[in-house]
Amino acid sequence: MNKFISFVLVVIFCSCAATSTRNDATIGFDQIEFNFGKLQFKKETECSFEFYNTGTSPLIIYDVKPSCGCTAADWTKKPLKSRNSGEITIKYDSAFPGMFNKEVAVYFNGQKSPVILRIKGQVEYPEEFYFEE
């Protein structure tokens, strides 16, 4: 009976070890911060962040979440093989004058997920408008 239990435990251990997959997908960026400088009031603008698969497993970005509604993101959705690159495009709607500093979280299938990207700048105040009565 002890041999049977030992055999079952060895089979379970081996099957678990054989089905586990090691995911060493990693992501690299040339830059993780973009400064727009001065922007015109109520003018949508965008920037791009190029990323690379620096690991050996395929890299999959499954979500990119901006920190507020004034920022939107689009990204390369296909899995990237090792040493291939993709792009994340961030659009910012400058509807509020003043300084801004926003975060964009990039969620991917690696252990260091998420990576935080930053955009910042200053939206100029609009010229005063005078309405005739």
Side-chain angles (χ1 to χ4, degrees):
M1 184 68 166
N2 284 339
K3 288 182 182 181
F4 178 74
I5 292 174
S6 297
F7 174 74
V8 170
L9 290 175
V10 168
V11 169
I12 291 172
F13 176 77
C14 291
S15 66
C16 289
T19 59
S20 70
T21 57
R22 181 175 169 204
N23 188 359
D24 62 348
T26 57
I27 191 168
F29 289 89
D30 287 337
Q31 63 178 3
I32 58 170
E33 185 175 295
F34 185 84
N35 188 344
F36 284 105
K38 291 190 177 187
L39 297 175
Q40 291 179 359
F41 179 66
K42 288 198 174 188
K43 182 175 182 182
E44 187 176 278
T45 189
E46 66 181 45
C47 67
S48 294
F49 292 90
E50 190 169 11
F51 64 90
Y52 306 91
N53 180 354
T54 57
T56 56
S57 297
L59 171 68
I60 302 168
I61 293 180
Y62 57 88
D63 202 2
V64 178
K65 290 187 177 183
S67 61
C68 75
C70 58
T71 309
D74 190 24
W75 65 94
T76 303
K77 307 238 180 356
K78 66 179 182 173
L80 294 178
K81 294 180 181 179
S82 182
R83 294 181 288 222
N84 286 347
S85 65
E87 185 175 68
I88 299 171
T89 302
I90 308 295
K91 292 182 181 178
Y92 181 73
D93 183 10
S94 56
F96 299 101
M99 303 285 289
F100 66 90
N101 188 353
K102 305 294 180 184
E103 292 184 349
V104 179
V106 179
Y107 294 89
F108 63 99
N109 63 326
Q111 294 181 3
K112 304 228 179 193
S113 179
V115 170
I116 304 298
L117 304 176
R118 294 187 187 282
I119 60 169
K120 62 182 181 177
Q122 180 177 0
V123 178
E124 295 178 334
Y125 284 87
E127 295 180 19
E128 292 184 3
F129 294 99
Y130 296 99
F131 297 106
E132 293 183 30
E133 291 183 35

